[in-house]
Amino acid sequence: MVIVLHKIKAYWWQITLALLSAITVVSLYPHASLPVVPGTDKSHHLIAYAVLVFPTALRRPHRWRLIMLFFILCGGMIELIQPYVNRHGEWLDMLANTSGVILGALLARLVNALYSREN
């Protein structure tokens, strides 16, 4: 577990960029072509944005809160663009995205606190 955390902290920027790219592509891909995945649409948004934020919040680079605000704004922009690519933008999706950002930050904070107690 410790090795994984060190790798996430070392490569946080690359991981985050890959996750943001994947979320953007999947979010803007035409709806009819998407595979069926267990869970609700809102849970997918929550999990995706929590995972997106986790490496940044775990590493806590300079201005990490500003980066998380950027993720919230990206989620909002995606929701605004979706109607133009045969998708449906929803305010509840935006709420789920924002909740995911908060959840990811809290989970990273918890992991950092637990890890610091072990050392």
Side-chain angles (χ1 to χ4, degrees):
M1 177 71 165
V2 174
I3 293 171
V4 172
L5 291 177
H6 283 297
K7 292 290 184 187
I8 292 171
K9 285 184 176 185
Y11 297 104
W12 71 273
W13 181 246
Q14 294 88 339
I15 295 167
T16 301
L17 187 59
L19 289 168
L20 182 60
S21 298
I23 289 169
T24 302
V25 167
V26 171
S27 296
L28 297 177
Y29 205 76
H31 185 62
S33 304
L34 292 175
V36 176
V37 181
T40 67
D41 176 54
K42 304 310 175 252
S43 65
H44 298 158
H45 284 264
L46 181 93
I47 292 167
Y49 280 82
V51 170
L52 171 65
V53 165
F54 185 80
T56 302
L58 190 67
R59 174 63 173 80
R60 293 185 63 153
H62 184 65
R63 297 186 182 170
W64 69 278
R65 290 185 178 130
L66 189 60
I67 294 169
M68 285 195 273
L69 177 61
F70 171 76
F71 295 147
I72 292 170
L73 293 174
C74 281
M77 290 302 297
I78 287 170
E79 293 304 318
L80 291 173
I81 293 169
Q82 281 183 331
Y84 299 102
V85 293
N86 197 26
R87 297 291 298 263
H88 302 285
E90 297 180 31
W91 287 106
L92 289 177
D93 287 350
M94 182 61 196
L95 179 63
N97 296 348
T98 303
S99 298
V101 168
I102 294 166
L103 178 63
L106 291 174
L107 287 174
R109 186 173 184 173
L110 177 64
V111 168
N112 277 332
L114 293 174
Y115 177 70
S116 67
R117 285 186 186 168
E118 291 177 6
N119 292 330

